[in-house]
Amino acid sequence: MKYRNLGKSGLRVSCLGLGTWVTFGSQISDETAEDVLTVAYEHGINLFDTAEVYAAGKAERTLGNILKSKGWRRSSYVITTKIFWGGLAETERGLSRKHIIEGLRGSLERLQLEYVDIVFASRSDPNSPMEEIVRAMTYVINQGLALYWGTSRWGASEIMEAYSMARQFNLIPPVCEQAEHHLFQREKVEMQLPELYHKIGVGSVTWSPLACGLITSKYDGRVPDTCRATIKGYQWLKDKMQSEDGKKQQAKVLDLLPIAHQLGCTVAQLAIAWCLRSEGVSSVLLGVSSAEQLMEHLGALQVLSQLTPQTVMEIDGLLGNKLHSKK
């Protein structure tokens, strides 16, 4: 496992992290979740990401139960959670000071922890003034409920506004942004976030390196029975795969097979390694449904060292979606 600093902070995180949206969701048994978490920890993954909304709080409870039963040193792993969608009441969602503080306390109760390492403000909230958000995040850090805070799915201008607000009032600025990043979703992580990384030290933790499972060579124009898209509640993913754009993307994934074969890896491993090469990316979150799948994805670490500039250019040529700076 390789470790990187979280943005320009001193926190060292594994370059591959484990997301709990899939692993600890309602479709996966607690035994499987424990197997996955154990394999991840034993192979050097120290970053475990969850959210108050995942499986209506079950993901946090399951993660908390496993961590408690394992008895691993609290100082040896990093727990992150996201606040926004907490409950049905108007005051149980969004980024008001009330919900940030109460939502985080609820997460800590479910996780059975005294603090999380990073709390993310998930989505920007037009109903909450930026100063209120930054002051609330500073408060939870000063109270010891979190050690750092970050943003998730925020625009570059919003992140910069939060940073400026923190500097203006001597508050604590965000350290990283959680963003979707994969072969077909490139602009934010490759064009916007590197500038924030160099200017204000905000790094990035990225998710969905396989585009919710679309980036594998197993589909071949159809949706197999074992695919996540066939699960209840994932109709949107099935629709996406069967759309015109989805079929074009799957065709491009198959075009990557010769490169993957040349490097002696799977398309999934190639796609994850490709995400890891991006500047300012502290960690790439994996979403897996079994320990075997996790082991395959960990193989991306060996592929990363083989990704020469020439290979990356070849991939860019096949995808045809490389972005160029306006400078």
Side-chain angles (χ1 to χ4, degrees):
M1 183 56 65
K2 307 288 184 190
Y3 297 88
R4 300 174 178 178
N5 282 53
L6 183 72
K8 294 287 178 72
S9 79
L11 182 61
R12 300 282 286 173
V13 295
S14 51
C15 67
L16 290 176
L18 182 67
T20 60
W21 179 50
V22 177
T23 312
F24 293 6
S26 54
Q27 306 295 327
I28 309 296
S29 70
D30 290 356
E31 292 76 16
T32 300
E34 183 170 349
D35 287 345
V36 170
L37 198 73
T38 305
V39 168
Y41 186 80
E42 289 175 350
H43 284 80
I45 288 180
N46 72 354
L47 176 62
F48 304 115
D49 175 77
T50 188
E52 62 176 351
V53 72
Y54 290 171
K58 179 179 180 285
E60 289 180 325
R61 278 191 292 273
T62 304
L63 178 58
N65 289 337
I66 295 171
L67 291 173
K68 189 175 181 180
S69 70
K70 288 294 179 183
W72 297 326
R73 296 186 318 282
R74 178 64 184 90
S75 54
S76 68
Y77 54 81
V78 174
I79 299 295
T80 74
T81 194
K82 293 180 285 296
I83 300 294
F84 191 94
W85 302 110
L88 298 175
E90 193 68 23
T91 51
E92 292 176 330
R93 55 181 182 264
L95 296 175
S96 66
R97 180 184 178 92
K98 177 178 172 66
H99 182 56
I100 287 174
I101 295 169
E102 291 178 346
L104 181 53
R105 283 183 173 148
S107 289
L108 292 174
E109 191 178 319
R110 288 187 290 274
L111 287 163
Q112 303 174 66
L113 296 174
E114 293 180 4
Y115 65 90
V116 293
D117 297 273
I118 313 162
V119 57
F120 286 96
S122 183
R123 300 171 175 262
S124 55
D125 182 5
N127 297 316
S128 298
M130 187 62 76
E131 183 180 343
E132 180 176 345
I133 296 170
V134 179
R135 283 192 183 279
M137 287 299 188
T138 301
Y139 173 83
V140 297
I141 290 173
N142 288 339
Q143 292 293 308
L145 305 177
L147 305 183
Y148 301 87
W149 79 278
T151 58
S152 178
R153 301 174 78 177
W154 281 33
S157 61
E158 293 166 327
I159 297 168
M160 187 57 101
E161 185 188 349
Y163 175 85
S164 302
M165 194 71 68
R167 286 287 171 254
Q168 182 182 348
F169 296 111
N170 197 27
L171 302 171
I172 300 172
V175 293
C176 68
E177 156 71 5
Q178 267 202 33
E180 183 178 3
H181 183 224
H182 50 74
L183 293 166
F184 305 114
Q185 182 84 21
R186 304 181 58 169
E187 182 177 0
K188 187 174 182 180
V189 171
E190 295 181 30
M191 300 298 289
Q192 299 171 19
L193 294 184
E195 187 178 359
L196 290 180
Y197 175 68
H198 289 295
K199 279 186 176 178
I200 61 176
V202 170
S204 51
V205 171
T206 68
W207 47 277
S208 199
L210 302 182
C212 290
L214 186 143
I215 302 173
T216 69
S217 55
K218 65 186 178 186
Y219 294 128
D220 197 17
R222 57 196 175 79
V223 181
D225 294 338
T226 54
C227 169
R228 200 185 314 163
T230 60
I231 297 173
K232 185 181 178 183
Y234 283 83
Q235 181 63 39
W236 59 270
L237 181 55
K238 188 173 184 179
D239 293 342
K240 184 177 178 181
M241 288 178 172
Q242 293 177 332
S243 69
E244 212 54 49
D245 277 349
K247 287 174 182 173
K248 284 178 186 172
Q249 289 172 354
Q250 286 171 58
K252 288 187 176 181
V253 168
L254 294 176
D255 289 341
L256 293 172
L257 273 172
I259 298 176
H261 288 155
Q262 191 181 338
L263 297 177
C265 66
T266 64
V267 169
Q269 290 170 332
L270 177 64
I272 294 166
W274 179 90
C275 291
L276 282 168
R277 76 187 218 301
S278 292
E279 183 183 37
V281 170
S282 302
S283 188
V284 174
L285 297 176
L286 304 175
V288 298
S289 54
S290 67
E292 293 74 25
Q293 195 179 21
L294 175 60
M295 286 303 298
E296 186 216 330
H297 290 183
L298 286 172
L301 293 171
Q302 278 68 54
V303 182
L304 181 60
S305 59
Q306 302 176 64
L307 278 188
T308 62
Q310 186 179 352
T311 305
V312 172
M313 278 179 62
E314 197 178 339
I315 293 170
D316 285 337
L318 286 170
L319 295 175
N321 63 356
K322 180 172 170 59
L323 301 153
H324 297 280
S325 174
K326 293 174 184 173
K327 291 181 183 177

